[in-house]
Amino acid sequence: SSVYIYLGLKIENMEKREQEISKSLDEETILIVQNSWNNVRSCGIEKVGLEFFRNVFSADPEVLQKFKFRGEENVYESKALRAHGRMVISAIGDVITGLRDLRTLSPILKKLFQFHEHLSSGVIDNRHFILIGTQLIITLRQLLGDTFSDEVAMAWIETYAFISSKMQ
């Protein structure tokens, strides 16, 4: 039995769980994620987007170089970053809303992956998925505070693994 520590959570049998997760999410996981997403939205999409990208760029400053707003004097005041953050967080919300409709969701996720793969000259690897997933979870934990329990974190980790498996 393998044990992983991810964001402070002890996860048993992760390989087996990833195989199960890639097929479907259970109803309880979907409900937890959708309910917590309602709390995220109440923080304001723009604020969530800014915090998310602040975390991404802090964790890996090279990622900033992939964006058009990279040269702006105060990137966190950038209208372009704010617009991009709103777009990304809105897209995440659309995915979370559509978790029960895989026939519609899967092609959208694949197109999203292909779009980003094209932008990055075909170089999207597992490191990028881990970076984005980790920073999303960290952002949610920062914004939701005590309501972002270990159970909620685990539901988001499973959901992100599921979404990532459908993108590639």
Side-chain angles (χ1 to χ4, degrees):
S1 162
S2 60
V3 176
Y4 288 81
I5 305 296
Y6 186 80
L7 299 174
L9 295 175
K10 183 178 174 183
I11 304 171
E12 307 266 354
N13 300 317
M14 190 60 185
E15 292 98 350
K16 184 178 180 189
R17 290 183 81 166
E18 283 177 339
Q19 290 171 356
E20 293 168 2
I21 291 166
S22 70
K23 295 176 186 138
S24 68
L25 291 170
D26 63 46
E27 185 62 22
E28 182 180 0
T29 300
I30 292 171
L31 282 172
I32 290 169
V33 168
Q34 288 180 339
N35 287 337
S36 66
W37 187 253
N38 289 333
N39 293 335
V40 171
R41 284 194 332 216
S42 71
C43 295
I45 296 300
E46 186 169 297
K47 177 182 178 181
V48 176
L50 280 174
E51 288 305 309
F52 171 69
F53 278 105
R54 187 182 311 274
N55 288 334
V56 169
F57 300 151
S58 293
D60 188 347
E62 290 179 24
V63 172
L64 176 59
Q65 300 311 309
K66 297 180 183 292
F67 292 91
K68 292 178 184 176
F69 46 79
R70 66 184 167 267
E72 294 190 28
E73 188 172 325
N74 184 350
V75 73
Y76 298 108
E77 296 297 321
S78 165
K79 288 181 182 178
L81 171 60
R82 289 174 183 275
H84 189 71
R86 283 191 307 270
M87 182 177 67
V88 168
I89 299 306
S90 293
I92 291 170
D94 292 343
V95 169
I96 297 307
T97 300
L99 286 173
R100 289 183 186 88
D101 184 8
L102 294 183
R103 279 190 295 231
T104 302
L105 190 58
S106 289
I108 292 168
L109 292 172
K110 286 188 187 310
K111 285 181 183 176
L112 189 60
F113 176 79
Q114 290 167 348
F115 173 75
H116 283 87
E117 189 176 45
H118 171 74
L119 287 177
S120 66
S121 304
V123 184
I124 294 182
D125 58 30
N126 202 35
R127 182 181 73 84
H128 295 105
F129 281 103
I130 292 169
L131 172 70
I132 296 303
T134 301
Q135 298 314 312
L136 176 62
I137 303 293
I138 288 170
T139 302
L140 296 173
R141 181 168 272 165
Q142 289 169 337
L143 293 172
L144 298 177
D146 292 341
T147 64
F148 197 76
S149 65
D150 287 351
E151 179 186 32
V152 174
M154 195 66 224
W156 272 96
I157 290 166
E158 289 181 3
T159 300
Y160 187 78
F162 173 76
I163 292 167
S164 297
S165 74
K166 299 300 177 197
M167 289 181 80
Q168 300 177 42

